[in-house]
Amino acid sequence: MKRAIAAMADTLREIAGTRALWSTMLVAVLFYAFYYPAPYRHQAVTDLPVAVVDEEGSEATRRIVARLDDTRELAVVARVANEAEGLRLVREREVDGVLRLSSGLTDRIVTGSGQGGISLQVNGAYLLRAQAVAGALEAVIRAEAREAAGRLGGDFDLEIAVRPLFNTTRGYADYIFPAVSVVILQQTLLFGAAMLAARRRAGGREDRDPAAFAGTLAALTLIGIVGALFYFGPVFWLLDMPRGGNIPALLVAVPLFSLCVAALGLAIGGWLDEGDRAMELLVPTSLLVFFLSGAAWPVEMMPAWVRAVAFVSPASHGVPLFLGLNQMGASLVEMSRPLGALALLAGGAVLLAAPRRS
Amino acid sequence: MSAFSTAFDREVAHIARDRWDRALLLVMPLVLLGLMAAMLLAGSPRELPVAVVAPDEPAARAMVRAIDETDAVRVVARPASEAEALALVREGRIVAFLEWPARAGSPPRISYNASYLSAGGIAERGIASAVSQVALERALEGGGVEGLGALRANPPRVSVALLGNPGASFEWYLQALVDPAILHLLVACATAMAMGRELKNGRLGEWARGSGHPAATLTGKLLPYVLIVSAWGAAWMIWISGVRGWAPAGSLMLVFAGQVLLYAATAAISALLVAATRETSTALAASAVYAGSALAYSGGSLPVGGASLLARGWSAALPFTHYLDLQMDQWLGAPASLAMGQLGLLGLYVLVPGALAVVLLKRKRAA
């Protein structure tokens, strides 16, 4: 035990005395907390420029155009004579879409029959923007039709209540950053641990006995815990991330996650020939690690072998685990799947990283 | 032999010899891009797991069948209460659920997991379309005043055409964002490491002095990396457009030219970072910051138009933003004249950091 504590203190001293290590594991964590969410903090698509072809030119269509312009998502920046003209503006990237309100539309809304219609042609290369444009348009048309039906005494209501859970404002930063923060915590600790192990190996200073190894692992896990609690506490509060808060459960989940990442980093670093290799080889995996976590693309959609690869990235379990605890207020029992997976992975990583008996 | 070809040959020999650099340049792109390709092969999220909370009666069963028949979702559970359904959401077993009211009058309610905004939103729209379809059919069958009201309340259909991505394929969209960003980050790390190898006691001077032509030596040294990563970029474009069928309406060659310039710019920035910081680890950390976040700042997912001035300025300062504009515009079919400006801009990202790096090398040479 004494040896382990001494090794832990040595490791912390080594980290504090090596710029590459403290800048990766401490400064980078601090920096990313504010740098990464900055381009998402406005939360939603705003004022995408669209062009309108108003063939009917009636009171109703003018009202629809004004309503579109009033939405958060859209700004009507051009009125064009025909669709071809609008499409030219789309291709020249002046506008994101062109909307055609064809004649007979009012009649269609009022009587529910007739040929009038609405067509939207939108730049689909940016799928997220295209969905926002189409969604805003559909909401405006639904509201208009409902009002028209109300004026005429129609009492049938097709309304469906829609309730976004946990991220109740459907904010984009509120969706991306809680997941990305787990990836940031993983990658910075993984880089640091691997760098430390590789530097020691290059210098012939590897941990030679289980006690020294346990001390090193404990020091790195501690740094991971501090980083995670910093994110899940003050950073989420400052950025006003959704909080469903199962804070006591973090006392179990955070150490397990940090231990798993630290052990994996030590295992990887033990293979490498020098400290900088860790960054060179691990940094390019960051985007993939995020996608493997299932935050942006559902895990159910991944082929089995991709899921098998995803299993060895702690973030694949950490993202559902911490979204569950921090945003959704899930219990530890409800999180037993990711917790079990992390425990298994942590055990494997410790076995891989631990010094071999000679 | 010229300084350029000496440096080029020396670097190729190094890559052939060093197993880690070989792995980074020849194996990792295949693994990273291959995993992305396999992950997204389904194209769009389908058959997402959802639940229905409803009394066990014929109308509710018909509703479950209608929801099951949609592409987007399938019903995997029939929890008895909202609380049970919420627990299933928290456990990650379902992404959305419908509460079908036992009595007429109160509207049906769809709840979805907005912490997974993308999948949750798709599931919500899938359920909503099934519900409104069923409700409308029933009202019309019923006829009378309610039927007429339903007809009137049925809003005119909005036909939406997605230009450049008619099938709303997430496979295309996400790969278009992520794959070039992965290669951008990879070449940033590879070239920072390569430049770092030439540091002797924190200086590049000795290495630069060796040839007499720092600019030629620098170009020769970094070119192998740019060529290899560009080849992976070409392989990705063949996969996405040739094999998977996302042919751009504009020019594939312009996109490729943009990619080569982006990777060359990345190499030039690495050279500048190592020459300026004189430390490999700092240059690698800086690469992780600017290239690792390039996608977030590009506006490819959430447009940066509404972001702070600082975020918008940084977005415009990053070369990847301009590459992504060029790529997406060409896929949409923008005129080539638009691409020329973007290519010119990317060219500046090669020349300016490259020239600055050479100036620093020369200064050290004099020192």
Side-chain angles (χ1 to χ4, degrees), chain A residues 122-133:
Chain A
V122 59
N123 181 353
Y126 297 95
L127 199 51
L128 187 92
R129 294 185 202 182
Q131 285 176 335
V133 173

Side-chain angles (χ1 to χ4, degrees), chain A residues 19-20 31-32 34-36 38-46 48 87 90-93 105 108-112 116-131 134 137-138 141-142 145-146 149 152-156 158-168 170-175 191 195 271-274 276-277 279-288 291-298 300-303 305-306 309 319-320 323-324 327-331 334-335 337, chain B residues 18-21 24 28 32 34-36 38-40 42-46 48-49 82 86-87 89-93 97 99 107-119 124-125 128 131-132 135-136 139 145-146 149-165 168-170 173-174 178 181-182 185-186 189-190 193 246 279-282 284-285 288-290 292-293 295-297 299-307 311 314 324-325 328-329 332-335 338:
Chain A
R19 193 170 69 154
F31 174 73
Y32 278 117
F34 301 97
Y35 173 74
Y36 211 95
Y40 298 130
R41 286 206 66 184
H42 52 298
Q43 300 278 16
V45 171
T46 48
L48 287 177
L87 285 174
V90 174
R91 272 193 295 274
E92 288 176 2
R93 302 294 290 107
L105 181 62
R108 174 74 177 77
I109 292 175
V110 172
T111 66
I118 298 161
S119 71
L120 170 71
Q121 302 201 63
V122 59
N123 181 353
Y126 297 95
L127 199 51
L128 187 92
R129 294 185 202 182
Q131 285 176 335
L137 173 65
E138 272 162 18
I141 300 301
R142 252 201 318 276
R146 192 175 305 134
L152 291 157
D155 58 352
F156 181 85
L158 273 185
E159 198 163 1
I160 304 168
V162 174
R163 174 174 65 156
L165 298 167
F166 317 125
N167 167 11
T168 51
R170 296 180 299 138
Y172 198 78
D174 294 352
Y175 148 58
F191 300 164
M195 207 188 296
W271 282 80
L272 303 175
D273 57 347
E274 55 165 317
D276 291 335
R277 285 287 190 206
M279 292 282 276
E280 185 198 14
L281 295 170
L282 292 174
V283 167
T285 64
S286 302
L287 284 162
L288 183 72
F291 276 88
L292 287 177
S293 77
W297 178 255
E300 295 91 348
M301 290 288 108
M302 299 179 192
W305 71 270
V306 174
V309 175
V319 166
L323 286 184
Q327 270 69 48
M328 308 178 196
S331 67
E334 284 168 334
M335 291 291 105
R337 267 200 300 186
Chain B
D18 186 299
R19 65 174 173 144
W20 294 114
D21 280 325
L24 177 70
M28 269 186 62
L32 298 175
L35 279 164
M36 283 304 298
M39 187 191 301
L40 298 168
S44 296
R46 259 187 264 281
L48 293 169
E82 185 203 359
L86 283 170
V89 176
R90 285 194 299 267
E91 285 171 26
R93 293 184 190 277
F97 63 90
E99 289 164 90
R109 179 165 76 165
I110 302 168
S111 305
Y112 67 99
N113 190 343
S115 278
Y116 292 84
L117 195 57
S118 175
E124 181 263 308
R125 285 192 293 275
V131 171
S132 44
L136 184 68
V145 178
E146 200 180 50
L151 199 61
R152 283 179 177 160
N154 178 27
R157 193 167 285 279
V158 178
S159 81
V160 177
L162 297 172
L163 305 166
N165 185 358
S169 165
F170 280 78
Y173 172 58
L174 291 176
V178 176
I182 287 177
L185 185 54
L186 192 137
C189 292
M193 193 74 179
W246 194 26
E279 213 177 52
T280 314
S281 64
T282 312
L284 282 166
V289 169
Y290 93 88
S293 67
L295 180 54
Y297 276 88
S301 53
L302 186 69
V304 292
W314 183 237
L324 196 68
D325 284 348
M328 294 311 222
D329 290 358
L332 175 73
L338 205 62

Side-chain angles (χ1 to χ4, degrees), chain A residues 48-60:
Chain A
L48 287 177
V50 292
V52 170
V53 186
D54 184 355
E55 286 178 355
E56 186 170 281
S58 67
E59 190 197 334

Side-chain angles (χ1 to χ4, degrees), chain B residues 126-150:
Chain B
I127 298 175
S129 74
V131 171
S132 44
Q133 194 57 40
V134 169
L136 184 68
E137 277 165 14
R138 276 176 42 192
L140 290 177
E141 275 165 22
V145 178
E146 200 180 50
L148 196 63

Side-chain angles (χ1 to χ4, degrees), chain B residues 10-341:
Chain B
R10 193 171 148 251
E11 208 57 31
V12 171
H14 166 82
I15 295 169
R17 202 173 49 236
D18 186 299
R19 65 174 173 144
W20 294 114
D21 280 325
R22 220 166 48 218
L24 177 70
L25 292 166
L26 304 179
V27 182
M28 269 186 62
L30 185 67
V31 173
L32 298 175
L33 302 186
L35 279 164
M36 283 304 298
M39 187 191 301
L40 298 168
L41 215 49
S44 296
R46 259 187 264 281
E47 307 291 310
L48 293 169
V50 301
V52 176
V53 183
D56 194 25
E57 55 171 38
R61 281 196 292 274
M63 179 64 68
V64 169
R65 267 198 306 280
I67 294 172
D68 246 344
E69 275 164 18
T70 62
D71 273 350
V73 294
R74 76 196 144 90
V75 179
V76 297
R78 297 282 305 274
S81 66
E82 185 203 359
E84 272 180 41
L86 283 170
L88 291 174
V89 176
R90 285 194 299 267
E91 285 171 26
R93 293 184 190 277
I94 57 171
V95 290
F97 63 90
L98 169 72
E99 289 164 90
W100 183 250
R103 58 200 161 74
S106 61
R109 179 165 76 165
I110 302 168
S111 305
Y112 67 99
N113 190 343
S115 278
Y116 292 84
L117 195 57
S118 175
I122 289 167
E124 181 263 308
R125 285 192 293 275
I127 298 175
S129 74
V131 171
S132 44
Q133 194 57 40
V134 169
L136 184 68
E137 277 165 14
R138 276 176 42 192
L140 290 177
E141 275 165 22
V145 178
E146 200 180 50
L148 196 63
L151 199 61
R152 283 179 177 160
N154 178 27
R157 193 167 285 279
V158 178
S159 81
V160 177
L162 297 172
L163 305 166
N165 185 358
S169 165
F170 280 78
E171 178 189 17
W172 296 349
Y173 172 58
L174 291 176
Q175 280 197 35
L177 295 183
V178 176
D179 288 27
I182 287 177
L183 292 175
H184 173 46
L185 185 54
L186 192 137
V187 76
C189 292
T191 48
M193 193 74 179
M195 290 305 298
R197 273 198 306 278
E198 308 298 348
L199 286 167
K200 295 271 169 346
N201 304 319
R203 287 176 181 278
L204 288 168
E206 198 181 311
W207 168 69
R209 199 163 32 239
S211 69
H213 296 95
T217 305
L218 191 63
T219 312
K221 180 176 177 69
L222 296 178
L223 191 61
Y225 298 92
V226 176
L227 292 179
I228 292 171
V229 173
S230 297
W232 284 112
W236 167 68
M237 288 204 295
I238 290 169
W239 166 257
I240 197 77
S241 65
V243 182
R244 302 296 298 160
W246 194 26
S251 160
L252 212 53
M253 281 320 291
L254 285 173
V255 179
F256 185 61
Q259 253 188 62
V260 175
L261 283 174
L262 172 69
Y263 304 143
T266 315
I269 293 168
S270 289
L272 178 61
L273 284 171
V274 175
T277 67
R278 303 202 238 151
E279 213 177 52
T280 314
S281 64
T282 312
L284 282 166
S287 300
V289 169
Y290 93 88
S293 67
L295 180 54
Y297 276 88
S298 71
S301 53
L302 186 69
V304 292
S308 67
L309 189 64
L310 202 65
R312 274 179 290 148
W314 183 237
S315 166
L318 290 171
F320 183 78
T321 307
H322 304 289
Y323 166 74
L324 196 68
D325 284 348
L326 164 71
Q327 176 193 286
M328 294 311 222
D329 290 358
Q330 286 307 310
W331 243 283
L332 175 73
S337 56
L338 205 62
M340 288 308 152

